[in-house]
Amino acid sequence: MGRNKLALPLFNTTLGSVALKVALQSNLDEVLIVKRAEDHLEWVDSSCEGQFQSVTCCDAPLGQAHSIVTGIKAAITRGADAVMIMLADQPFLRMHHLNAMMEAAIKERVQYIGTNVEGRTQPPLLFSKEVFPDLMKLEGDVGARRLLPMLTGMSLNINESSEAYDIDTEEEYTWLISQQSIP
C-alpha cells in the first residue's frame, strides 16, 4: 500500500483503531499489540490509550511468523491460557464474534477456533496454550493458518463475509471510505 494503512482516517478515527476498539470491548482478558520498530502507535485513538500493552517485533520485516512468535513469547510471559490472533485492518469485525470464539474454546476444548468465511478459515484465530510451541516454530512470511491441518479445532461462521474483510490495497480503502458507516 505504500503507507501505514492502520493510520488511515476512517469514520472519526483510524482504520487500526476500529479493530482495536472491538478487541478492547470484547471479553478478552488483555489486548497486546505486536508492532514494528518504526510504529510509534500514532494510529491508536486517544480513547484506547492505557487499555492495551504493546511489544515490538524487530524482525517484522522478515515476515508475519516473526510477529506471531513475538506475540506468543509475550503471551507466555503473561501466563496466557490462549491467544487470539487478530488483524488490525479488519474494520468490520464484531465483538460478538470474538466473544463467541472464546465461549466455543471453553466449551469445545479444542486446540484452535477459527473464523469461517465462505469455507475458508482465516483470522481471527484463537489458539490454546498447548499450540504455543508449534506457533513458536513458524518462520518467514508464514501465518498460523499453516498449522491448522495438524490441529484439532473448528471454525465459527461469521454472520456476513464482510465482517472478516481486510483492507490491503488503495482500492479497498477507497471503497471502505465510500461506505456511510461500518455496519
Side-chain angles (χ1 to χ4, degrees):
M1 191 172 221
R3 55 185 171 155
N4 182 358
K5 64 183 173 181
L6 301 182
L8 294 173
L10 184 64
F11 310 126
N12 300 317
T13 189
T14 63
L15 175 60
S17 287
V18 172
L20 176 59
K21 288 178 181 183
V22 170
L24 292 171
Q25 293 167 358
S26 75
N27 293 333
L28 289 167
D29 291 334
E30 184 175 2
V31 174
L32 181 68
I33 295 174
V34 178
K35 65 181 197 71
R36 292 175 171 258
E38 66 273 11
D39 185 352
H40 300 291
L41 302 178
E42 294 95 351
W43 56 269
V44 174
D45 192 286
S46 61
S47 67
C48 301
E49 291 178 12
Q51 298 181 57
F52 64 90
Q53 299 293 317
S54 68
V55 61
T56 301
C57 178
C58 296
D59 295 330
L62 300 176
Q64 61 182 308
H66 296 275
S67 296
I68 292 170
V69 170
T70 298
I72 297 301
K73 287 179 181 176
I76 290 169
T77 64
R78 289 164 167 75
D81 291 324
V83 295
M84 183 177 292
I85 298 174
M86 296 178 57
L87 306 177
D89 64 352
Q90 289 181 302
F92 297 110
L93 201 56
R94 294 288 158 252
M95 177 183 65
H96 67 83
H97 182 70
L98 303 183
N99 291 341
M101 291 176 72
M102 290 181 278
E103 291 168 14
I106 292 167
K107 181 180 175 185
E108 301 297 331
R109 303 268 185 221
V110 292
Q111 294 174 309
Y112 79 89
I113 304 287
T115 300
N116 180 30
V117 180
E118 299 172 357
R120 183 174 176 192
T121 300
Q122 64 183 57
L125 295 162
L126 187 148
F127 292 96
S128 69
K129 68 179 177 183
E130 70 182 275
V131 181
F132 290 1
D134 296 317
L135 290 165
M136 296 281 290
K137 293 176 187 172
L138 293 173
E139 296 178 336
D141 200 25
V142 174
R145 188 181 314 147
R146 178 181 195 164
L147 298 175
L148 301 185
M150 299 172 277
L151 303 173
T152 60
M154 60 183 282
S155 292
L156 298 182
N157 292 328
I158 205 154
N159 288 341
E160 293 188 31
S161 62
S162 64
E163 282 189 49
Y165 190 71
D166 63 320
I167 305 302
D168 291 323
T169 66
E170 290 289 343
E171 293 77 20
E172 290 167 341
Y173 175 65
T174 300
W175 171 82
L176 177 63
I177 59 175
S178 73
Q179 305 304 298
Q180 295 299 317
S181 65
I182 295 176

